[in-house]
Amino acid sequence: MASRFWTQGGDSDTEEEENSEYEEGSETEQPAGDADGALARSRYLRDQASDSDDSDGQHRVVKSARHKRFDEMVATIDQTKNAMKINDWVSLQESFEKINKQLEKVMRVTESVKVPNLYIKALVMLEDFLAQALSQSMANKDAKKKMSSSNAKALNSMKQKLKKNNRQYEELIAKYREKPEGQDEVAEDADEESGSEVEEDPSKITMFDDESDDKEEEEDDEPAQGAGTWEKKMSRKDKLMDKQFMKDPSKITWDVVAKKLKEIVAARGKKGTGRVEQVEQLTFLTRVAKTPAQKLEILLSVVSAQFDVNPSLLGHMPINVWKKCVGNMLLVLDILEQYPNIVVDDAVEVDEHETEKGADHKGTIRVWGNLVAFLERLDSEFFKSLQCIDPHTREYVERLRDEPLFLVIAQNLQEYLERIGDFKAASKVALHRLELIYYKPQEVYDAMRKLAEQAGTEAGWEDGDADESDESQIVQESRGPPDFVPIPEIVPRRPAFPERSRALVDALVFLIYKYGDERTKARAMLCDIYHHAIFDEFPVARDLLLMSHLQDGIQLMDISSQILFNRVMAQLGLCAFRAGLIQEAHGCLFELYQGGRVKELLAQGMSQNRYHEKTPEQEKAERRRQMPYHMHINLELLEATHLICAMLLEVPNMAATTHDPKRKPISRTFRRLLEVSERQTFVGPPETVRDHVMAATRALRKGDHRRAFDVINSLDIWKLLRNQEKVLEMVKSKIKEEALRTYLVAFSSCYDSLSLSQLTLMFDVSEAHVHSIVSKMMIMDELHASWDQPTKCVVCHTVEQTRLQGLLFRMADKLVILAENNERAFEARTGGGLEGLPPRRREGQDYTGSAASGRWQQNSAGSALQGRQGGGYGGRLGYDGRTGGSAQGTGGGFRRDRSGQESRGGGDGGGYYGSAGRTGVRGSRMEAAAGMVNLSRAVRI
Amino acid sequence: MADYDLTSRIAPHLDRHLVFPLLEFLQERELYADDEILKAKIQLLSQTNMVDYAMDIHKALYHTEDVPQEMVGRRVEVVARLKSLEESAAPLISFLQNAALVQELRTDKQYNIQMLHDRFQIGADQIEALYQYAKFQFECGNYSGAADYLYQYRALCTNSERSLSALWGKLAAEILMQNWDTALEELNRLKEIIDSKSFASPLNQLQNRIWLMHWSLFIFFNHENGRNGIIDLFFQDRYLNAIQTNAHHLLRYVATAVIVNKRRRNMLKELVKVIQQEQQSYKDPITEFLECLYVNYDFDGAQKKLKECEQVILNDPFLGKRVEDSNFTTVPLREEFLENARLFVFETYCRIHRCIDISVLAEKLNLNMSYDEALVWITNLIRNSKLEAKIDAVLGTVTMPIVHQNVHEQIIEAMKNLNMRTYLLAKNIVEPAQAAQATR
């Protein structure tokens, strides 16, 4: 790497000399002649191409293109002449437009600021002819009448256009008229004198623009080569600047630089301002800045100009520009570090002469700017580039390696902000760092840390381009004026990572919780939870989520935070699953799978919706939200987790439903899938994740736990898990348990008694475990049986109902429903409940033996409600759903939690991590449902 | 056996003076080395004004007659400060000691202040001095004096912050004087204020609640009606949430209270839920016992935990309170706890069994008794109609009859309140209509 770089450096060196030689030549011995300028140019070009880079074919192409352009131009001028002869104004107009277009092209290929003489000549010619024609028509009305109407019209428009056009080149034309031949020198001078005007000249600027775009492409194609061209361009542009500044470095005053800066900055954003050009000019200015403050000011302009390079919202900033931008930011920080009296501020209007104060100035110097905004922009550009680059290419990996670069700058900036006491901004920066760290498991984190360290030990760790630009800067400095304000590298150039990512996350999160604003805090909290979840700390993650009341407000937040929330829920589900908490895992995941739009909810790819066509704007917006590939959560794993959880919960539930029709399905999604798969006439070997789980379900329903596990085990997603063995072991034991439960529920009516040892044998579960499971089922009334202790067997009490009795029961149920409906109708009419009636109970709530199951159960009830109401409501859907849920009184436990929460009001909401309580929290999980449901709507909008 | 000692977790939530009884208890139980406890005591006293006591302990600890200079110095300082405070509060105190004059005070605070100011030249300064003096008295260990003064201060004080801290002081003083009835009153008063007052931050309020709960442990485990009180207080939403947030160790006391209290069985379900939620952050044998019994139905585990529970109770300053009964020292709570826990186990066991061997049962119940004794125990239960079972003396088993609810009854049960509901509904509809007709 280094060696290659050095050779490159040498290359550009020679090139440099070449250029400067040429410059001198052009001033002194520019050959006179008609198309001489152009010729000289092409000759120079040929020289350069052959000398500097023989092996490079690209320049040759450019060369021929240049010739072509000139030839074209000459041809057009000939056409014009012909048209003049026959007085054909229509074709004259056409060819005039053509020549203007060609001029742009010519300028682009010649990379010149100066308009070719050929063009000026044509202009003069046209002007003369026009004046002649006009005077003729004035004198002789007939002549005008003779002209066809279209011709006359063309003449008039030509008159105006030419006038407008020529105004730009007034001087050149005047010069040409004075000295029709060999005028180049003068023109050159004029050009230089009006150095600043050059940029203001719109047509020329557009040329720059195009030209620079081409340049960029070139650079992108071949980054190593890019440095060379960059170098060349610098020098050519320097021609302008140096003229002004190089003459006598001592004459450069603060005023000159400030004026220049103002000029350049004023051109920003104007139509046709050359973006790259601007960056270069500003970069040059940084070297001649007189005071550190001024240098800082210019550097800030450079950075913002660099951000302007990419105008489109979708595309990303060119990577090398991004890297240079990072370099500039580091310089900015260096200056700020070295001169602590300089303050960057965007709140106050800064006095113009503030930056005039030198390095020895005692008081504070204010410079306008917003470093945090720059950092945010850098981050978003980095993010965008990762979105755009195809994740399966090497380029993507290369790009990922730039992450430490960003982290360095963020770290330095954060430290700086903390030092000056701007903790609010520091917390924002901390969030950006956190968002690059939070999703990394320890292995990935270690890898990044190693990369950063390795890169740090090598001298040039800032990949190739940055190196070369550094180098070129040195080269330039040796040639051009020396940096007036030398800035040593003070801030560390490589990030410091603690050993464990948890430590880093903790530190960042602590800062953010203390100083951040609401959104920052909420996002940090989500990242924190995510991080805990990937580190298998489910209880901590769960408590944080519940404590922070994030679910309550998530639907009011921006979409990217909602996506983050969904990601957190998904990761939490995976974490719960790994920990063997099936119910919790299902509670976290089922919302994601309810609408079948997981991809959209997690922003991991676009999903097609059959019923809802997206407008192009929506699609673009969605594309902008996509997560970069390396942050994705594996969807297959997620789906498998969700379906396995659903299977484990639903299969015994379905078995029980046959006895007790009041039971509600736990996972409707799963039921639907199962129905679909059962409708198939032939069942082939499983292929997708879904097929596998369905096959396992079929086995499990028969109580065949071995087959069920084998099918699940054959999924190849398991190798994505860190502790694969343990998880599979857990899945196996869960499957056995559920198989046992299903078996007992489904077939206990066929048995009079079952011995414990037989069950143990059948399901390969330890005796104590079987005892515990069966006992639990007995207590919960899922199994009508009891133990016979001396003989160690389960004695079933099956209660046979006669048909009449069964019918009676059903009638009783229906009557209850009828009465309830009546009461509800009455309530709706009168608005009040009936007095003296027992509060209506909600059936099916009280079979919650274990606390957890209760909680999740209530969730599902709540969200189901929401689902039902979902259709009709607008934006406040989630809220409505929730109040609906509480109004219907979902069970005692839930009500308790809600009241706790309400009585406390929003007060507790402010408390995050450890600061305030988990007060009134438990059971607020159902709000998670609200968040997700509503979120999905938001995404769709 | 120090594993389950909660003193270090409880102490931060208590007043210095309140920690003292705990340390005394630990010293008695000899869980820690004597020196350590004495040192802790000195440390504890160093911030209070009970310098004489600290000196005594110092002597006992190092077996010397010398006292460090700083203690002597501090003693002088304390005495001086006491004098000055006494002086500044003297006018008000002399007023308050005159019963006839105190009669003139009314409930209207503004009036009182005005009157004191006009007639006795006692202003805000003196009232403030009274507070300081009371506080100083408390620091010195003169709790009864402090309690009196604080009571009177509250009658005169207009600053609500001050009034709150005066209340805390009064509560502490009453607890330390072991006036449980008064303390309970103060506790309720304090609770009302905490619940109704708006705090600067929710965190503050939470902290206040946690303090209150900790302090209340003294009262509830000593007051005769404390067993109900603790459940009433701790099971309130806000307090339960506070426990779950920042004081998990209090679960032990809640659990014990629920187990011991026969009439509050219905709380058990909620308690088990909470224990399960918090099992990651707190567990001790008592909560684990409940978990084994009601979550896992693991009777062997429950049996083991029950044994450990006994030790935990003996070593807990609140639970292991001793009662001297002539020559015996008993820990009344232990007996109650074990008895009730056994009942829990037995009950659950019977619910899922049809037939149980008595000797196995005796073993499961941790009774350490012979077959005959167990037989007597079970017979007693059956006789007191707590258990529907029959003993099969030949096989040595207890047999539970399987009760099937009659289908007939079930249907009647389902329909029973329908009649009433419909009747009410009809009445509600008809009555307004009739009333409307009547008026017409």
Side-chain angles (χ1 to χ4, degrees):
Chain A
M1 169 97 182
S3 68
R4 190 173 155 222
F5 158 70
W6 282 116
T7 52
Q8 275 298 332
D11 237 14
S12 61
D13 230 356
T14 54
E15 214 174 297
E16 190 68 42
E17 280 156 28
E18 205 100 42
N19 286 347
S20 49
E21 255 169 48
Y22 160 67
E23 268 166 48
E24 281 151 30
S26 72
E27 255 180 296
T28 51
E29 47 182 15
Q30 180 109 328
D34 206 339
D36 273 355
L39 266 178
R41 243 163 249 293
S42 63
R43 197 189 63 195
Y44 148 60
L45 209 260
R46 206 181 304 131
D47 282 354
Q48 193 207 27
S50 54
D51 283 6
S52 63
D53 230 333
D54 272 332
S55 62
D56 190 13
Q58 227 166 354
H59 280 279
R60 242 169 255 151
V61 176
V62 172
K63 185 190 78 184
S64 68
R66 195 165 302 185
H67 267 299
K68 222 161 75 192
R69 298 271 178 264
F70 269 100
D71 291 347
E72 272 171 15
M73 208 163 176
V74 171
T76 322
I77 290 172
D78 283 345
Q79 263 177 23
T80 322
K81 279 178 187 160
N82 288 339
M84 274 181 200
K85 274 175 198 154
I86 57 165
N87 206 8
D88 181 2
W89 286 99
V90 179
S91 61
L92 253 180
Q93 196 180 4
E94 271 168 25
S95 47
F96 175 66
E97 270 155 24
K98 210 162 143 196
I99 202 170
N100 271 342
K101 266 184 211 149
Q102 283 167 347
L103 175 72
E104 282 174 24
K105 284 179 191 162
V106 167
M107 299 292 277
R108 196 190 309 157
V109 288
T110 56
E111 303 168 355
S112 129
V113 231
K114 202 170 76 74
V115 190
N117 286 320
L118 201 62
Y119 179 71
I120 299 294
K121 199 177 142 200
L123 283 185
V124 171
M125 199 167 71
L126 269 174
E127 211 175 47
D128 291 347
F129 183 65
L130 187 75
Q132 195 193 339
L134 283 176
S135 63
Q136 247 178 28
S137 65
M138 283 293 200
N140 186 358
K141 295 271 175 190
D142 292 345
K144 197 176 187 183
K145 268 176 201 157
K146 253 194 269 167
M147 276 179 174
S148 69
S149 64
S150 62
N151 213 4
K153 219 190 256 169
L155 168 65
N156 277 335
S157 69
M158 192 64 203
K159 190 174 82 183
Q160 282 156 7
K161 271 187 196 162
L162 198 64
K163 212 171 165 186
K164 210 164 129 198
N165 190 45
N166 285 10
R167 206 174 294 146
Q168 302 166 13
Y169 309 105
E170 254 168 343
E171 276 177 73
L172 288 177
I173 292 170
K175 295 255 158 66
Y176 181 80
R177 280 184 197 286
E178 266 172 40
K179 205 178 178 184
E181 306 287 314
Q183 83 296 33
D184 287 42
E185 236 172 309
V186 193
E188 198 84 26
D189 281 347
D191 223 357
E192 275 142 24
E193 271 159 28
S194 62
S196 59
E197 278 152 39
V198 169
E199 288 82 43
E200 282 155 22
D201 188 337
S203 69
K204 286 185 189 171
I205 292 303
T206 31
M207 294 160 210
F208 284 167
D209 198 7
D210 293 351
E211 165 194 47
S212 53
D213 279 358
D214 282 2
K215 193 66 62 184
E216 280 315 313
E217 276 161 35
E218 255 176 57
E219 280 181 11
D220 279 357
D221 288 345
E222 213 170 324
Q225 185 60 34
T229 20
W230 160 264
E231 195 48 48
K232 179 183 72 201
K233 212 156 70 169
M234 281 292 288
S235 61
R236 185 187 42 69
K237 178 210 34 122
D238 284 354
K239 190 173 66 187
L240 298 171
M241 310 286 276
D242 287 1
K243 287 288 131 53
Q244 200 170 22
F245 291 111
M246 256 186 76
K247 288 170 200 156
D248 187 358
S250 60
K251 272 190 195 157
I252 301 172
T253 60
W254 179 85
D255 275 325
V256 175
V257 179
K259 206 174 127 230
K260 186 75 193 159
L261 173 67
K262 246 197 211 157
E263 267 165 23
I264 297 173
V265 172
R268 175 187 177 191
K270 276 192 188 153
K271 197 172 171 236
T273 311
R275 297 197 183 86
V276 174
E277 188 71 8
Q278 218 182 11
V279 172
E280 285 156 14
Q281 289 171 349
L282 286 168
T283 317
F284 177 80
L285 272 187
T286 57
R287 287 197 281 125
V288 296
K290 289 301 268 187
T291 63
Q294 191 177 36
K295 179 158 185 159
L296 180 71
E297 194 184 11
I298 299 170
L299 268 175
L300 292 176
S301 312
V302 174
V303 173
S304 48
Q306 275 168 334
F307 284 134
D308 281 348
V309 165
N310 168 44
S312 123
L313 206 54
L314 279 178
H316 61 92
M317 191 168 158
I319 290 167
N320 51 349
V321 178
W322 187 87
K323 279 181 185 160
K324 274 175 209 146
C325 198
V326 169
N328 284 332
M329 283 294 282
L330 283 172
L331 273 180
V332 167
L333 289 173
D334 279 336
I335 298 178
L336 289 173
E337 181 88 4
Q338 200 181 14
Y339 304 100
N341 57 341
I342 301 178
V343 178
V344 177
D345 201 346
D346 65 342
V348 284
E349 204 55 43
V350 177
D351 177 35
E352 262 181 45
H353 293 275
E354 189 89 4
T355 55
E356 198 170 353
K357 296 161 186 163
D360 47 353
H361 182 77
K362 287 287 177 290
T364 53
I365 304 172
R366 291 179 177 283
V367 177
W368 194 90
N370 188 345
L371 294 176
V372 179
F374 283 157
L375 187 93
E376 272 165 9
R377 189 70 201 273
L378 267 182
D379 190 23
S380 75
E381 291 292 345
F382 182 64
F383 191 80
K384 266 199 276 183
S385 69
L386 285 172
Q387 276 177 336
C388 293
I389 300 171
D390 179 4
H392 303 290
T393 55
R394 218 184 116 62
E395 199 187 348
Y396 191 83
V397 182
E398 288 292 329
R399 185 65 180 143
L400 267 183
R401 292 166 77 112
D402 293 341
E403 205 171 62
L405 256 170
F406 178 78
L407 284 172
V408 146
I409 202 160
Q411 189 185 342
N412 286 327
L413 183 57
Q414 191 191 329
E415 274 162 18
Y416 169 72
L417 289 169
E418 277 173 36
R419 204 166 46 240
I420 63 167
D422 188 355
F423 288 104
K424 216 169 158 47
S427 69
K428 272 187 200 152
V429 178
L431 180 66
H432 283 276
R433 288 176 70 193
L434 181 62
E435 283 184 6
L436 286 181
I437 300 291
Y438 78 94
Y439 58 86
K440 291 187 166 70
Q442 185 65 36
E443 293 87 357
V444 180
Y445 178 82
D446 283 340
M448 183 181 70
R449 195 159 57 92
K450 254 180 224 142
L451 172 75
E453 272 166 17
Q454 235 172 26
T457 49
E458 286 170 28
W461 70 284
E462 291 175 49
D463 282 18
D465 293 67
D467 267 330
E468 270 160 273
S469 68
D470 272 1
E471 188 56 32
S472 65
Q473 227 161 20
I474 297 166
V475 172
Q476 272 182 354
E477 271 157 30
S478 62
R479 201 191 106 263
D483 234 343
F484 291 145
V485 187
I487 300 297
E489 288 192 0
I490 300 175
V491 286
R493 289 300 200 256
R494 63 182 166 119
F497 291 119
E499 185 82 12
R500 300 202 50 83
S501 61
R502 188 67 241 168
L504 183 60
V505 170
D506 276 339
L508 293 172
V509 155
F510 179 75
L511 182 83
I512 296 170
Y513 290 154
K514 207 161 170 196
Y515 301 106
D517 57 15
E518 278 308 307
R519 180 177 180 272
T520 320
K521 272 198 273 193
R523 283 194 76 101
M525 177 63 90
L526 287 172
C527 294
D528 198 12
I529 296 168
Y530 192 102
H531 194 261
H532 276 298
I534 55 175
F535 276 72
D536 276 335
E537 292 167 27
F538 180 74
V540 187
R542 180 200 62 189
D543 282 357
L544 277 178
L545 185 72
L546 294 180
M547 237 195 281
S548 56
H549 293 278
L550 274 172
Q551 308 102 311
D552 308 4
I554 193 68
Q555 62 267 57
L556 303 174
M557 292 177 71
D558 54 329
I559 293 178
S560 104
S561 300
Q562 292 180 349
I563 290 169
L564 182 58
F565 179 79
N566 287 348
R567 282 165 58 76
V568 167
M569 289 309 280
Q571 203 56 260
L572 208 57
L574 290 177
C575 173
F577 179 72
R578 286 193 299 262
L581 303 164
I582 300 299
Q583 237 142 3
E584 279 83 347
H586 183 254
C588 292
L589 295 178
F590 85 112
E591 288 279 348
L592 280 172
Y593 279 88
Q594 238 171 12
R597 290 179 303 142
V598 205
K599 276 188 184 171
E600 200 176 323
L601 288 177
L602 293 176
Q604 297 189 4
M606 321 280 283
S607 57
Q608 269 89 39
N609 196 332
R610 229 183 307 163
Y611 308 106
H612 190 263
E613 279 290 310
K614 280 181 211 135
T615 62
E617 284 83 48
Q618 285 175 346
E619 237 181 80
K620 260 187 212 160
E622 199 181 332
R623 192 155 286 143
R624 242 176 291 151
R625 285 197 288 267
Q626 294 301 307
M627 284 288 140
Y629 184 72
H630 67 285
M631 290 169 76
H632 282 196
I633 298 169
N634 187 299
L635 286 176
E636 280 204 339
L637 180 64
L638 200 64
E639 191 184 8
T641 308
H642 167 241
L643 287 177
I644 290 171
C645 288
M647 173 184 83
L648 290 175
L649 295 177
E650 191 64 272
V651 168
N653 188 38
M654 279 187 334
T657 314
T658 51
H659 300 294
D660 179 8
K662 272 187 231 162
R663 270 176 188 254
K664 295 209 169 58
I666 294 171
S667 169
R668 284 176 202 280
T669 326
F670 181 78
R671 284 268 173 110
R672 211 173 46 235
L673 289 178
L674 194 63
E675 270 168 32
V676 170
S677 100
E678 270 170 355
R679 236 179 279 146
Q680 288 172 343
T681 328
F682 299 108
V683 184
E687 282 171 9
T688 61
V689 170
R690 193 178 294 173
D691 291 346
H692 275 87
V693 179
M694 289 306 139
T697 308
R698 275 193 292 273
L700 194 60
R701 287 179 84 174
K702 288 183 215 129
D704 185 354
H705 67 93
R706 279 184 194 87
R707 244 202 96 220
F709 178 71
D710 285 345
V711 175
I712 296 283
N713 195 23
S714 67
L715 280 170
D716 46 4
I717 41 141
W718 297 119
K719 61 175 180 282
L720 296 171
L721 290 177
R722 213 174 315 148
N723 40 3
Q724 182 186 356
E725 310 279 295
K726 247 177 72 192
V727 172
L728 280 176
E729 203 47 51
M730 181 277 295
V731 172
K732 192 171 185 175
S733 81
K734 289 281 175 197
I735 287 180
K736 280 183 202 159
E737 272 175 39
E738 297 311 326
L740 169 62
R741 276 157 53 88
T742 313
Y743 184 81
L744 282 178
V745 170
F747 301 112
S748 67
S749 56
C750 310
Y751 288 96
D752 200 22
S753 67
L754 278 156
S755 89
L756 182 61
S757 55
Q758 190 198 351
L759 285 175
T760 317
L761 215 69
M762 271 175 77
F763 293 97
D764 193 21
V765 186
S766 76
E767 227 170 81
H769 204 158
V770 172
H771 189 274
S772 159
I773 292 171
V774 175
S775 302
K776 204 183 250 174
M777 288 175 74
M778 287 171 179
I779 297 262
M780 307 272 193
D781 268 345
E782 283 171 0
L783 179 65
H784 299 283
S786 54
W787 288 103
D788 189 73
Q789 194 260 328
T791 53
K792 286 196 170 171
C793 60
V794 185
V795 182
C796 304
H797 329 296
T798 37
V799 188
E800 288 286 325
Q801 282 179 1
T802 63
R803 185 167 155 67
L804 178 64
Q805 284 163 343
L807 285 173
L808 267 175
F809 270 118
R810 268 153 70 187
M811 186 186 77
D813 284 345
K814 288 197 170 136
L815 281 177
V816 170
I817 292 168
L818 188 67
E820 237 166 57
N821 281 342
N822 275 338
E823 280 167 16
R824 206 167 289 156
F826 181 76
E827 262 172 45
R829 267 307 266 282
T830 59
L834 289 175
E835 286 162 38
L837 275 187
R840 237 180 296 121
R841 279 152 300 165
R842 197 180 159 91
E843 70 279 3
Q845 277 298 324
D846 224 354
Y847 58 85
T848 54
S850 68
S853 96
R855 208 170 65 214
W856 296 106
Q857 193 54 41
Q858 281 151 12
N859 290 343
S860 69
S863 57
L865 266 170
Q866 268 177 350
R868 234 177 294 143
Q869 298 186 347
Y873 287 88
R876 284 168 58 78
L877 157 86
Y879 191 68
D880 286 333
R882 232 181 306 146
T883 46
S886 65
Q888 304 217 351
T890 28
F894 169 57
R895 196 181 277 164
R896 172 180 81 75
D897 287 327
R898 274 208 64 79
S899 60
Q901 231 172 312
E902 276 161 2
S903 63
R904 211 149 281 222
D908 288 340
Y912 285 102
Y913 191 47
S915 65
R918 195 181 331 177
T919 40
V921 168
R922 304 288 166 182
S924 58
R925 180 60 68 101
M926 81 160 279
E927 263 88 345
M932 202 97 62
V933 170
N934 212 18
L935 162 60
S936 58
R937 285 183 67 83
V939 169
R940 201 196 294 157
I941 289 163
Chain B
M1 261 335 281
D3 295 353
Y4 299 112
D5 182 32
L6 290 180
T7 315
S8 59
R9 293 178 73 167
I10 290 176
H13 300 286
L14 293 177
D15 191 87
R16 270 174 191 285
H17 297 258
L18 292 176
V19 182
F20 227 75
L22 302 190
L23 286 181
E24 295 276 352
F25 179 85
L26 288 182
Q27 199 172 11
E28 216 172 290
R29 290 294 304 171
E30 293 169 353
L31 280 180
Y32 300 99
D34 224 21
D35 285 1
E36 263 179 64
I37 289 180
L38 287 179
K39 271 181 200 155
K41 273 187 180 177
I42 290 182
Q43 217 176 9
L44 203 64
L45 290 169
S46 67
Q47 298 293 315
T48 69
N49 295 334
M50 294 146 79
V51 189
D52 285 341
Y53 190 34
M55 284 177 180
D56 289 346
I57 295 172
H58 185 86
K59 284 174 195 163
L61 179 60
Y62 297 106
H63 307 290
T64 59
E65 281 303 306
D66 306 330
V67 189
Q69 195 56 44
E70 50 183 337
M71 280 193 182
V72 180
R74 182 151 167 76
R75 195 190 137 79
V76 175
E77 196 183 301
V78 166
V79 172
R81 177 136 171 76
L82 182 63
K83 284 261 163 54
S84 75
L85 278 174
E86 211 165 3
E87 266 168 38
S88 55
L92 189 52
I93 290 169
S94 62
F95 164 81
L96 291 171
Q97 273 163 352
N98 188 337
L101 290 174
V102 172
Q103 289 289 314
E104 288 183 34
L105 291 177
R106 301 190 197 168
T107 46
D108 184 3
K109 278 185 187 173
Q110 288 306 328
Y111 170 83
N112 287 344
I113 291 170
Q114 194 61 37
M115 184 200 72
L116 283 175
H117 187 72
D118 295 347
R119 285 174 53 191
F120 303 96
Q121 286 78 44
I122 297 171
D125 288 346
Q126 274 79 14
I127 296 175
E128 174 65 22
L130 179 69
Y131 173 77
Q132 295 296 350
Y133 184 61
K135 185 156 181 254
F136 202 78
Q137 287 285 345
F138 180 79
E139 295 280 309
C140 291
N142 181 4
Y143 303 125
S144 65
D148 286 346
Y149 294 136
L150 283 173
Y151 175 72
Q152 280 152 347
Y153 173 74
R154 270 180 48 73
L156 296 170
C157 159
T158 48
N159 180 346
S160 70
E161 277 304 315
R162 266 292 152 73
S163 157
L164 187 64
S165 34
L167 207 48
W168 280 110
K170 181 92 173 19
L171 176 60
E174 296 295 349
I175 290 173
L176 287 164
M177 287 190 297
Q178 311 206 335
N179 292 336
W180 304 123
D181 283 330
T182 348
L184 191 61
E185 273 171 36
E186 297 295 332
L187 184 78
N188 287 332
R189 205 170 291 154
L190 199 55
K191 176 176 169 292
E192 260 168 46
I193 291 179
I194 290 175
D195 286 346
S196 60
K197 191 169 169 275
S198 61
F199 280 84
S201 77
L203 186 61
N204 246 326
Q205 195 168 25
L206 181 80
Q207 192 56 53
N208 269 301
R209 291 210 171 108
I210 290 176
W211 282 338
L212 190 74
M213 279 191 281
H214 278 93
W215 293 29
S216 70
L217 291 178
F218 286 99
I219 302 168
F220 288 141
F221 284 103
N222 287 300
H223 194 270
E224 56 205 9
N225 197 24
R227 306 273 174 79
N228 285 323
I230 189 173
I231 294 176
D232 288 340
L233 179 70
F234 284 26
F235 270 100
Q236 285 183 21
D237 288 341
R238 300 157 181 193
Y239 290 87
L240 203 57
N241 280 326
I243 292 177
Q244 292 189 329
T245 310
N246 230 350
H248 304 110
H249 49 272
L250 288 178
L251 281 178
R252 171 190 290 181
Y253 301 103
V254 189
T256 315
V258 170
I259 291 173
V260 168
N261 202 323
K262 286 196 181 74
R263 267 172 295 168
R264 298 301 185 92
R265 279 293 161 77
N266 45 351
M267 294 295 182
L268 201 61
K269 210 169 200 167
E270 200 175 345
L271 178 69
V272 172
K273 232 187 234 179
V274 174
I275 288 176
Q276 248 204 323
Q277 277 172 2
E278 298 306 325
Q279 61 178 340
Q280 301 289 338
S281 23
Y282 179 78
K283 57 166 69 164
D284 70 16
I286 297 179
T287 64
E288 279 173 321
F289 167 72
L290 284 178
E291 208 186 327
C292 281
L293 200 56
Y294 288 104
V295 179
N296 301 329
Y297 299 95
D298 171 8
F299 296 96
D300 295 331
Q303 184 193 341
K304 265 184 227 141
K305 291 295 166 198
L306 200 55
K307 266 182 203 148
E308 289 175 32
C309 283
E310 204 175 336
Q311 280 307 312
V312 171
I313 289 176
L314 285 180
N315 287 328
D316 190 284
F318 296 107
L319 304 178
K321 197 189 65 162
R322 260 142 242 254
V323 174
E324 305 271 340
D325 198 15
S326 59
N327 297 331
F328 288 103
T329 16
T330 52
V331 179
L333 206 86
R334 179 182 67 167
E335 316 303 330
E336 267 181 84
F337 181 86
L338 290 182
E339 178 68 25
N340 279 302
R342 247 175 235 144
L343 261 181
F344 275 15
V345 176
F346 184 62
E347 204 176 70
T348 320
Y349 207 67
C350 290
R351 261 179 81 186
I352 57 167
H353 279 80
R354 196 189 65 165
C355 180
I356 313 163
D357 196 309
I358 290 180
S359 52
V360 173
L361 194 60
E363 183 196 318
K364 285 263 189 295
L365 292 177
N366 235 4
L367 281 173
N368 296 330
M369 48 177 133
S370 64
Y371 174 82
D372 290 336
E373 278 172 306
L375 197 64
V376 174
W377 193 73
I378 292 165
T379 320
N380 273 332
L381 281 181
I382 295 174
R383 272 185 57 207
N384 296 338
S385 70
K386 279 176 186 164
L387 176 70
E388 256 186 68
K390 292 279 176 286
I391 296 169
D392 188 334
V394 182
L395 295 171
T397 55
V398 185
T399 323
M400 257 65 62
I402 299 158
V403 208
H404 281 305
Q405 211 182 2
N406 195 332
V407 178
H408 186 65
E409 271 172 27
Q410 276 179 37
I411 292 174
I412 298 259
E413 187 63 33
M415 314 271 240
K416 205 158 68 184
N417 66 354
L418 274 183
N419 186 22
M420 208 257 289
R421 279 162 73 176
T422 319
Y423 172 73
L424 258 177
L425 187 69
K427 209 177 85 179
N428 272 310
I429 294 170
V430 170
E431 264 179 8
Q434 277 174 346
Q437 250 173 3
T439 52
R440 202 175 293 160

